[in-house]
């Protein structure tokens, strides 16, 4: 019997070694990855026939020598060069990969890394006070390294220690519940007044207005070009989820953009993320507002759209979310919103 799975355009086929096979084998199943399904099926038939004739010998017993000579840091380095560089937001992942290349786990042989080593990393991160989401992200990156090595790079006998660890209940910290922070009372007015007192006030106000009127991410706003603006439509050619998206601008958002100076670069905004976040913190301090992040404006904007009666398809088209579950993490109706919809 054989089973086949497609992953990243390649086909991994797994066959079962007969229980009564007379020669030593590394494991009861054997897998190999091919570029085409035809080649995978041909290999499976050929290997199965060789097993029946007793002519097959398990090549993984020889692969053990290769794995014993492979340091995890070398696998991490290959992953960094062949996988990480092609991802969106790869800078953060590359930083994490390099950290583990210099970590003691990087000096371990690939096949000797156990779930206890991953548990040690988890405990280190907990002692450092890292958030549950950060710990899970770092460990899941390591898990993907093992998966790629196993299915794409020929280490077919390799076990993923992260998956073994996850089989134990509560082995990883649970992610914190999604934020539900929205603007309260006169916070928007106080925030805008505080922005007026600082540098780059016109551009900062425009950024906040566009965020509240459209639900766009900060990175999308700061990366927007005037050439992408046609009427009230801002066409984003490449977003976080890898697709293009048209964002409809309200008249208030359009006016905020049109009032900004034209830039030779073609960018709508000239501030970078670090400057915006610094100005944001200063404004919050001036306005005496706590626990409010710039990204919360996206929550606020989408929640306002729900309160206006926009259906989910319209909101998902505007926000770029691919699933209702993800969208629900960003919409938080208040008691007043519910009261208006149900009572009027």
């Amino acid at each position: 019997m054989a089973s086949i799975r497609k992953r990243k355009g390649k086909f991994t086929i797994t066959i079962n070694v007969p229980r009564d096979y007379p020669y030593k084998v590394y494991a009861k199943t054997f897998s190999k990855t091919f570029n085409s399904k035809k080649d995978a099926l041909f290999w499976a038939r050929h290997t199965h026939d060789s097993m029946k004739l007793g002519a097959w010998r398990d090549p993984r017993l020889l692969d053990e020598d290769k794995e014993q000579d492979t340091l995890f840091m070398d696998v991490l380095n290959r992953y960094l060069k062949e996988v990480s560089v092609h991802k969106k937001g790869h800078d953060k992942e590359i930083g994490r990969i390099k950290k583990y290349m210099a970590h003691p786990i990087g000096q371990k042989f690939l096949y000797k890394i156990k779930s206890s080593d991953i548990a040690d990393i988890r405990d280190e991160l907990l002692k450092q006070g890292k958030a549950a989401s950060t710990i899970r992200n770092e460990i899941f990156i390591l898990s993907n390294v093992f998966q790629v090595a196993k299915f794409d790079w020929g280490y077919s006998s390799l076990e993923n220690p992260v998956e073994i660890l996850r089989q134990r209940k509560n082995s990883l910290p649970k992610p914190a519940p999604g934020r539900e922070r929205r603007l309260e009372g006169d916070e928007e007015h106080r925030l805008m007044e505080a922005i007026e007192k600082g540098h780059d006030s016109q551009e900062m106000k425009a950024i906040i207005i566009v965020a509240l009127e459209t639900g766009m991410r900060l990175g999308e706003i700061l990366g927007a070009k005037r050439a992408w603006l046609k009427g009230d439509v801002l066409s984003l050619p490449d977003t976080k989820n890898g697709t293009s998206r048209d964002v409809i601008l309200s008249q208030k958002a359009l006016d905020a953009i049109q009032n900004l100076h034209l830039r030779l670069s073609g960018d709508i905004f000239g501030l970078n993320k670090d400057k915006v976040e610094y100005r944001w913190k200063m404004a919050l301090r001036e306005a005496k507002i706590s626990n409010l992040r710039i990204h919360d404006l996206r929550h606020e904007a989408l929640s306002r759209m729900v309160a206006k009666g926009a259906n989910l398809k319209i909101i998902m088209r505007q926000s770029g979310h691919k699933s209702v579950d993800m969208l629900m993490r960003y919409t938080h109706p208040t008691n007043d919103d519910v009261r208006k919809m149900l009572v009027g």
Side-chain angles (χ1 to χ4, degrees):
M1 295 292 292
S3 61
I4 191 167
R5 58 176 286 200
K6 186 177 181 181
R7 183 174 181 271
K8 294 184 178 179
K10 295 187 177 182
F11 297 85
T12 297
I13 193 161
T14 302
I15 59 177
N16 297 318
V17 179
R19 292 183 180 179
D20 57 351
Y21 194 70
Y23 299 102
K24 182 181 178 182
V25 295
Y26 186 89
K28 295 179 181 179
T29 60
F30 185 43
S31 301
K32 197 167 182 180
T33 301
F34 297 86
N35 291 324
S36 72
K37 184 176 181 180
K38 181 179 178 181
D39 290 342
L41 294 173
F42 177 82
W43 171 84
R45 287 193 296 269
H46 175 75
T47 304
H48 190 260
D49 290 343
S50 296
M51 288 178 178
K52 283 185 176 180
L53 296 172
W56 183 78
R57 300 293 184 273
D58 195 336
R60 294 171 297 185
L61 299 177
L62 300 175
D63 286 343
E64 284 183 341
D65 294 333
K66 178 180 70 173
E67 292 179 359
Q68 288 173 355
D69 291 336
T70 303
L71 291 174
F72 189 45
M73 67 177 296
D74 295 328
V75 176
L76 288 169
N77 189 43
R78 181 177 177 184
Y79 182 89
L80 184 153
K81 293 178 178 178
E82 297 183 15
V83 181
S84 294
V85 294
H86 299 297
K87 292 184 178 181
K88 281 187 173 295
H90 60 269
D91 289 344
K92 184 177 291 187
E93 177 167 295
I94 287 174
R96 287 170 170 168
I97 292 292
K98 287 183 176 179
K99 180 177 77 171
Y100 289 111
M101 288 172 65
H103 188 277
I105 197 174
Q107 299 300 320
K108 281 182 169 285
F109 291 117
L110 178 64
Y111 87 104
K112 285 190 175 180
I113 297 177
K114 307 298 181 185
S115 61
S116 58
D117 297 307
I118 306 301
D120 288 343
I121 288 176
R122 173 203 63 198
D123 294 341
E124 287 175 16
L125 294 171
L126 284 169
K127 287 179 181 178
Q128 294 169 13
K130 299 295 185 182
S133 58
T134 299
I135 296 172
R136 293 171 68 89
N137 287 341
E138 294 208 6
I139 288 179
F140 289 159
I141 288 173
L142 295 179
S143 178
N144 200 44
V145 173
F146 284 102
Q147 290 296 92
V148 170
K150 179 179 178 67
F151 293 107
D152 295 349
W153 296 342
Y155 294 95
S156 55
S157 61
L158 181 65
E159 291 186 324
N160 186 339
V162 178
E163 292 303 311
I164 294 173
L165 178 67
R166 291 181 67 191
Q167 291 172 11
R168 291 175 14 212
K169 190 176 181 180
N170 299 324
S171 59
L172 295 179
K174 293 182 179 179
R179 286 178 62 83
E180 296 187 5
R181 180 70 161 91
R182 290 189 57 183
L183 291 169
E184 301 171 355
D186 65 345
E187 284 184 338
E188 183 176 349
H189 176 72
R190 285 155 49 201
L191 179 63
M192 287 302 196
E193 279 194 335
I195 290 291
E196 286 277 11
K197 297 178 181 179
H199 299 295
D200 306 306
S201 59
Q202 187 179 29
E203 189 162 336
M204 279 296 300
K205 283 181 65 177
I207 289 170
I208 293 171
I209 290 170
V210 171
L212 286 173
E213 293 292 310
T214 67
M216 290 171 64
R217 302 176 179 91
L218 179 61
E220 293 172 343
I221 295 172
L222 298 183
K225 306 282 187 181
R226 284 197 178 266
W228 301 348
L229 183 59
K230 304 294 182 185
D232 64 350
V233 179
L234 182 64
S235 298
L236 306 179
D238 188 20
T239 62
K240 182 179 178 180
N241 56 29
T243 60
S244 61
R245 179 169 102 253
D246 285 345
V247 176
I248 305 301
L249 303 180
S250 67
Q251 189 59 51
K252 187 175 181 179
L254 272 173
D255 290 342
I257 290 174
Q258 299 298 352
N259 288 333
L260 295 175
H261 296 296
L262 296 177
R263 299 181 179 278
L264 293 176
S265 64
D267 296 328
I268 293 176
F269 298 97
L271 295 176
N272 60 35
K273 184 179 179 182
D274 289 340
K275 285 187 177 180
V276 170
E277 290 183 341
Y278 174 77
R279 289 282 289 108
W280 176 264
K281 289 179 182 178
M282 294 301 99
L284 291 183
R285 184 180 301 174
E286 173 70 22
K288 295 181 173 54
I289 298 173
S290 61
N291 189 33
L292 184 67
R293 303 173 185 172
I294 298 180
H295 196 66
D296 291 333
L297 299 183
R298 180 163 160 86
H299 293 245
E300 179 70 26
L302 299 182
S303 296
R304 289 180 180 182
M305 292 178 197
V306 172
K308 289 179 180 178
N311 66 47
L312 293 180
K313 285 187 176 181
I314 289 176
I315 298 174
M316 289 172 70
R317 185 180 185 277
Q318 180 80 353
S319 69
H321 287 111
K322 293 299 183 183
S323 70
V324 174
D325 287 343
M326 283 301 298
L327 176 62
M328 289 299 98
R329 293 175 59 186
Y330 281 81
T331 53
H332 310 292
T334 64
N335 288 340
D336 285 341
D337 292 335
V338 176
R339 193 175 291 112
K340 287 177 182 178
M341 293 297 291
L342 298 182
V343 182

